[in-house]
Every structure is written in C-alpha cells, then in structure tokens.
Amino acid sequence: AQKITQTQPGMFVQEKEAVTLDCTYDTSDQSYGLFWYKQPSSGEMIFLIYQGSYDEQNATEGRYSLNFQKARKSANLVISASQLGDSAMYFCAMRERVNYGQNFVFGPGTRLSVLP
Amino acid sequence: DGGITQSPKYLFRKEGQNVTLSCEQNLNHDAMYWYRQDPGQGLRLIYYSQIVNDFQKGDIAEGYSVSREKKESFPLTVTSAQKNPTAFYLCASSTTVRRRHHNSPLHFGNGTRLTVT
C-alpha cells in the first residue's frame, strides 16, 4: 500500500502567487516525521522543511510553510510568493521506524512550473 | 564542508557487466541509504544500513548488492542480474533518531546517472 500520496502530478503557478502542493500519508505509528524536498532539473535533492508528528505548530522556513493536519494525515507544502527558480519536482517524504532503525518513504512527486 | 560524495556523476556500461557506484560521507552519520529514481518518478529504496557491517534490503533490492565496512562508505554494486539498470541513483545518509522531537532529514549526494546499453 502506498504510504505517501501526492495527487498532483503537475502544477502551474503564476510568479509571485502562492501555491499549495498536497501530501497525504498513512502510518500507524504515533512518532514520525514528515519532510519536503525539492529536486531541480540538475537532480540534486534539497531539503526544504520538516514537521514532527508531535509538533503542535505548523513548520515554517522562509517562503515555505507546512499545513499539517494530523487527524486527516495530510502535510501540504505552501510556497508563498513563487519565483521562477521554484520550478522543480517536489517530493513529500515520511520517516518511519522499522525493525532495524528508521526508513524514509517518498511520494511520487509533483512537478511545479512557475510561469512569468 | 561536510557532505556526501557520489562518483562518478555519469557512468556507462555494457549489458552483462557488474558496476559499482561509490558513496562517501563525512557527516558522521550512522545510517546510509541507496535510492533509485526513474524518469519522472519518485525514489525507491534499494538498500539501507543503520550501522557498520549491517544492511537491510529495501523495496527493490533484487539485482543489487551493498557493503558497509566503514561508517563513511556505502558502495552499491549493480549486478548483471538487474534487468533494467539504467536509472538515476541517489545515495543518502542521516543520523539515527533517538528522541521523538529530533529533526533528522536525509542528506543526499548529487547522484550517479547509470546508462547500460
């Protein structure tokens, strides 16, 4: 069963507008972490933001914020004031405990295109 | 500066040959991971290692092998048994989470693009 779902294969946003990228997850653990990564066309994976399952406030990092709704098991990424350089693939990931420590599970990604 | 080094960036091999992808980290991380990414898709876990001399199969381990003889190094061998080895391979590492509020993201290398013809 897919543990991370990103329902938007592709998104378009006008420069300077805000955009929300969806992410839902599935876990029976009480303790877990949620991450968002950006992957430009160069292929590198850039860590953007983190939300812990016990965090009561939504995480924010500059223009990035995470809309965390624990009961709905969703962790949507909000990018404010989009820039052309934000065009990239965006992946939602979850850190989960496994028998031998921890593992990270990734969603299929959303390709964001920022239009001038 | 600390980080993860993957080499080479591009690798070309003939079908039937084994090939080893290098991954070295100087972040003093216990855990290391190998992911495969196909065009336009997400990351799939091949192998991971939580400590030296121990590693576990991920979701798509068939046709791959790894070793973890040193904390800093986690090489991946793509064997001739891997049916479709052409892909982008990403190595990553992280600290081991022991406290529930610990923010411990994955740190990635820049990847190796393997083409097998």
Side-chain angles (χ1 to χ4, degrees):
Chain A
Q2 191 169 6
K3 295 190 175 185
I4 300 287
T5 302
Q6 295 181 252
T7 58
Q8 308 151 314
M11 288 281 287
F12 291 89
V13 64
Q14 207 69 39
E15 193 178 7
K16 300 180 184 177
E17 299 283 312
V19 63
T20 297
L21 306 184
D22 294 342
C23 172
T24 58
Y25 58 93
D26 181 28
T27 183
S28 56
D29 287 348
Q30 296 301 310
S31 177
Y32 51 89
L34 298 159
F35 302 81
W36 277 91
Y37 286 85
K38 172 184 178 181
Q39 187 180 41
S41 57
S42 57
E44 61 189 300
M45 294 287 284
I46 302 167
F47 166 63
L48 296 178
I49 195 167
Y50 163 82
Q51 181 84 43
S53 58
Y54 293 105
D55 294 341
E56 295 184 354
Q57 292 198 344
N58 287 340
T60 60
E61 287 288 347
R63 295 188 297 112
Y64 304 108
S65 61
L66 206 152
N67 184 0
F68 182 47
Q69 298 187 44
K70 193 171 181 177
R72 295 185 177 183
K73 293 187 176 179
S74 76
N76 298 339
L77 176 70
V78 180
I79 305 175
S80 62
S82 297
Q83 302 172 356
L84 296 178
D86 294 335
S87 294
M89 284 289 288
Y90 288 82
F91 293 98
C92 179
M94 178 174 64
R95 182 188 63 224
E96 60 176 2
R97 296 187 190 281
V98 293
N99 288 341
Y100 293 90
Q102 61 181 3
N103 190 11
F104 291 79
V105 180
F106 285 80
T110 295
R111 182 173 297 282
L112 177 66
S113 298
V114 181
L115 306 174
Chain B
D1 287 342
I4 300 177
T5 301
Q6 288 188 247
S7 60
K9 186 172 182 178
Y10 299 96
L11 191 55
F12 298 88
R13 279 294 183 270
K14 293 289 187 183
E15 193 174 331
Q17 293 179 334
N18 291 355
V19 60
T20 297
L21 281 59
S22 169
C23 178
E24 302 279 333
Q25 57 102 356
N26 60 4
L27 299 167
N28 199 32
H29 286 168
D30 290 313
M32 296 188 74
Y33 308 79
W34 274 105
Y35 289 91
R36 169 181 171 142
Q37 186 178 30
D38 291 289
Q41 299 188 25
L43 278 65
R44 292 185 290 169
L45 182 66
I46 305 173
Y47 268 98
Y48 63 102
S49 168
Q50 302 294 324
I51 56 173
V52 175
N53 291 324
D54 188 46
F55 48 83
Q56 305 300 321
K57 292 182 179 180
D59 300 320
I60 55 166
E62 186 175 350
Y64 300 97
S65 66
V66 293
S67 63
R68 188 85 187 276
E69 298 177 1
K70 299 185 301 180
K71 187 175 185 178
E72 303 80 16
S73 180
F74 192 40
L76 173 74
T77 297
V78 184
T79 75
S80 56
Q82 168 51 231
K83 299 301 181 187
N84 186 19
T86 295
F88 186 53
Y89 292 87
L90 283 159
C91 179
S93 71
S94 75
T95 58
T96 300
V97 174
R98 293 187 175 87
R99 293 177 288 121
R100 71 180 193 184
H101 293 292
H102 196 287
N103 171 4
S104 178
L106 271 177
H107 297 257
F108 283 89
N110 287 332
T112 293
R113 292 192 185 275
L114 173 64
T115 302
V116 176
T117 58

